[in-house]
């Protein structure tokens, strides 16, 4: 079981309010991802849930019981830290067994659970090594192993992949998703990475300055961002946000159109601009377009190759039904 | 970095320092060795000559020698145990955030700046004196008989004084080591259900093992040659109750005017110190490997 409910929780460090009153419901078995710009309070929120920080006000319920005053060890949650936080002087086996040992479990039971976790995580060959003798990805798996042997109600991951190289990151992303499918345990996951958020999450929580801007499934956030912040934050490259007369034509203060929803041509179209930098990725080409008179820089995605050069004039046509409209308060208009 | 050329240059440049240091060490060592095989008594300086191992024989069969050996080991071990245990506890305490942290830390280091003779005299006259000392005063205040520390328990008193001097050193090294402990490790242990005591035992203490090794090695070197504290407090007495090897060497050469036997004692002390060093490196030296 892993229902977590946050009721009006706030957090102040001294005079600074890092998290203004915040409500959030996390259901059993969900994979919830917290995203947001650096310093927006993702780690703080996770540490509040873990109990490593005290809430200033409000309450936290885990499985319907008030856990606001419960010490971290009693909350039944397991955390995987960004630095892995393995115990360097213990072997992998002892690291994984540590929570069991602290719980006073018998040696045989400990061994059985460690072996089971190690085989799930492909660590069996490394059980007698020290963490210092492992690669980054293996350390990461040991940290996850230490978390799963406790059979927690929920896992908390704070940017667990940020120390890994790109290829390993893709692999570990799949492994964690696999693990979630297998264990069906609630997971809360903090990341900077768009792709991790979009691919892994059942539910994404977008935070800015401690405020939840939107909660929803990845595609919901993509198709129906609730405000201009979410519109600009979710999706890569970023959505083009246009203000002024062009937006007024659509009865809005701001209109948004994603780079992939703009058609381009060298002959004719609704908007006109001058090609700046083009990024060729092989499968796609991203064109940065200047002097449109709409916004500073417009980004357009073209499938495959497009033969344009720096300084060429180009015409763009947005797909009308993919246009997002936002009001003066930045909220979505429908 | 280390091309043939740069290595030659490096050797050339450190040569003067090496020669100076070697001279500094070798000349006294050789002279000690030389005198230890000579007859050289300050009362009869005209009768000289080679005496073979006689000086060594005299020193080793001196009834004070066994006492001095035991006292030296008790002194070193006692001070090591006290400073390491208290040092770890103090370091943990000082690591906690508290009001006036900077001042408290400086106060803790202060004893280290007091020179050994002075601090031993302060302890002897202001604290342990059975008539005027603070301890005697405190004992009288609660109606007890004042205790004459330096004559009743001379070695223990000296262990106390020396521990007081070396505690800051141990605390300081251990404190810096504690501060380098990754706070996420502590938090991970907290989430893993470890009580504060098991966190100390399973995380803090293993983290400190290397620093503790350094403290033990460095302190042993200095503690084997404690002298000033004994000279100004008990003069090695009563009897030989607080005589260590260094003090015995001094007593032989300068109180009994026998430089030859004193030198032999010095050589014996060097050999014993090396034996202790080998034992230490065997036991705890592996902690220093990365
Ligand atoms: N112990 C603390 N004392 C004071 N301020 C803190 C403390 N911890 C965090 N903060 C502040 O709280 C805010 C949120 O920090 P937090 O670590 O939660 O950000 P984050 O979203 O995890 O950022 P990042 O993505 O860079 O990890 C920051 O402005 C930070 O300066
Ligand atoms: Mg963070």
């Amino acid at each position: 079981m892993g229902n977590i409910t946050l009721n009006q929780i706030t957090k102040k460090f001294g005079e600074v309010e890092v998290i203004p009153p915040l409500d959030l419901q996390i259901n059993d078995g969900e994979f919830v991802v917290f995203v947001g710009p650096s310093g927006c309070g993702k780690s703080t929120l996770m540490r509040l849930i873990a109990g490593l920080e005290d809430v200033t006000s409000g309450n936290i319920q885990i499985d319907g019981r008030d856990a606001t005053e419960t010490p971290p060890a009693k909350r039944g949650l397991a955390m995987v830290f960004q630095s892995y936080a393995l115990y360097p002087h213990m072997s992998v086996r002892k690291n994984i067994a540590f929570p069991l040992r602290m719980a006073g479990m018998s040696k045989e039971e400990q061994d059985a659970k460690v072996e089971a976790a190690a085989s799930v995580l492909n660590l069996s060959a490394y059980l007698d090594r020290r963490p210092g003798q492992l690669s980054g990805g293996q350390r990461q798996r040991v940290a996850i192993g230490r978390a799963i042997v406790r059979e927690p109600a929920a896992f908390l991951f704070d940017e667990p992949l940020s120390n890994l190289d790109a290829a390993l990151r893709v692999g570990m992303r799949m492994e964690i998703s696999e693990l979630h499918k297998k264990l069906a345990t609630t997971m809360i996951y903090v990341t900077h990475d768009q792709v991790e958020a979009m691919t892994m999450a059942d539910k994404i929580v977008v935070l800015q300055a401690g405020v939840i801007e939107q909660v929803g499934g990845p595609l919901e956030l993509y198709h129906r961002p609730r405000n201009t912040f979410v519109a600009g934050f979710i999706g890569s490259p970023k959505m083009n946000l246009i203000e002024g007369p062009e937006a007024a034509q659509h009865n809005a203060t701001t209109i948004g159109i994603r780079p992939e929803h703009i058609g381009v041509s060298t002959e004719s179209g609704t908007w006109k601009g001058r090609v700046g930098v083009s990024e060729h990725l092989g499968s796609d080409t991203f064109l940065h377009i200047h002097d449109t008179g709409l916004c500073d820089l417009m980004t357009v995605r073209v499938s495959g190759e497009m033969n344009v050069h720096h300084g060429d004039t180009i015409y763009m046509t947005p797909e009308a039904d993919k246009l997002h409209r936002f009001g003066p308060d930045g909220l979505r208009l429908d | 970095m280390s091309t043939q050329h740069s290595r030659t240059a490096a050797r050339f440049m450190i040569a003067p320092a090496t020669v100076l240091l070697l001279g500094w060490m070798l000349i006294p060592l050789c002279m000690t060795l030389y005198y230890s095989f000579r007859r050289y008594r300050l009362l009869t300086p005209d009768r000289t000559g080679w005496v073979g191992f006689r000086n060594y024989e005299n020193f080793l069969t001196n009834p004070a020698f066994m006492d001095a050996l035991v006292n030296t080991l008790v002194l070193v071990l006692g001070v090591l145990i006290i400073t390491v245990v208290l040092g770890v506890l103090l370091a943990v305490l000082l690591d906690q955030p508290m009001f006036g942290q900077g001042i408290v830390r400086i106060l803790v280091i202060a004893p280290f700046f007091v020179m050994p003779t002075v601090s031993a005299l302060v302890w002897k006259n202001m604290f342990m004196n059975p008539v005027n000392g603070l301890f005697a005063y405190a004992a009288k205040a609660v109606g007890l008989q004042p205790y004459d520390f330096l004559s009743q328990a001379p070695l223990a008193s000296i262990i106390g004084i020396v521990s007081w001097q070396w505690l800051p050193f141990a605390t300081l090294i251990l404190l810096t080591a504690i501060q380098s402990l990754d706070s996420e490790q502590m938090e991970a242990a907290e989430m893993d259900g470890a009580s504060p005591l098991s966190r100390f035992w399973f995380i803090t203490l293993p983290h400190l093992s290397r620093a503790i090794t350094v403290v033990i090695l460095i302190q042993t070197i200095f503690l084997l040659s404690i002298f000033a504290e004994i000279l100004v407090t008990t003069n090695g007495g009563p009897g030989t109750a607080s005589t260590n090897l260094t003090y015995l060497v001094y007593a032989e050469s300068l109180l009994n005017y026998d430089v030859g036997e004193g030198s032999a004692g010095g050589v014996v002390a060097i050999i014993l110190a090396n034996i202790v060093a080998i034992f230490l490196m065997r036991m705890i030296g592996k902690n220093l490997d990365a």
Side-chain angles (χ1 to χ4, degrees), chain A residues 47 50 52 72-73 77-79 81-90 98-99 101-102 146 150 156, chain B residues 181-195 198-199 201-207 209:
Chain A
R47 292 167 60 82
L52 294 172
L77 309 175
M79 185 147 170
F81 292 83
Q82 182 174 352
S83 68
Y84 314 141
L86 300 178
Y87 312 126
H89 51 274
M90 296 184 200
F98 190 72
R101 188 170 167 197
M102 289 298 113
R146 196 172 61 187
R150 293 180 51 198
L156 310 175
Chain B
L181 178 58
D182 177 13
S183 67
E184 284 199 345
Q185 255 180 55
M186 275 303 200
E187 287 175 348
E190 196 179 341
M191 294 215 59
D192 282 346
S195 65
S198 7
R199 262 177 275 156
W201 186 253
F202 289 109
I203 314 294
T204 312
L205 218 47
H207 176 78
S209 64

Side-chain angles (χ1 to χ4, degrees), chain B residues 156-173:
Chain B
S157 304
I158 289 174
I159 290 178
I161 295 173
V162 176
S163 300
W164 180 79
Q165 278 169 23
W166 281 92
L167 188 56
F169 171 78
T171 307
L172 208 62
I173 299 235

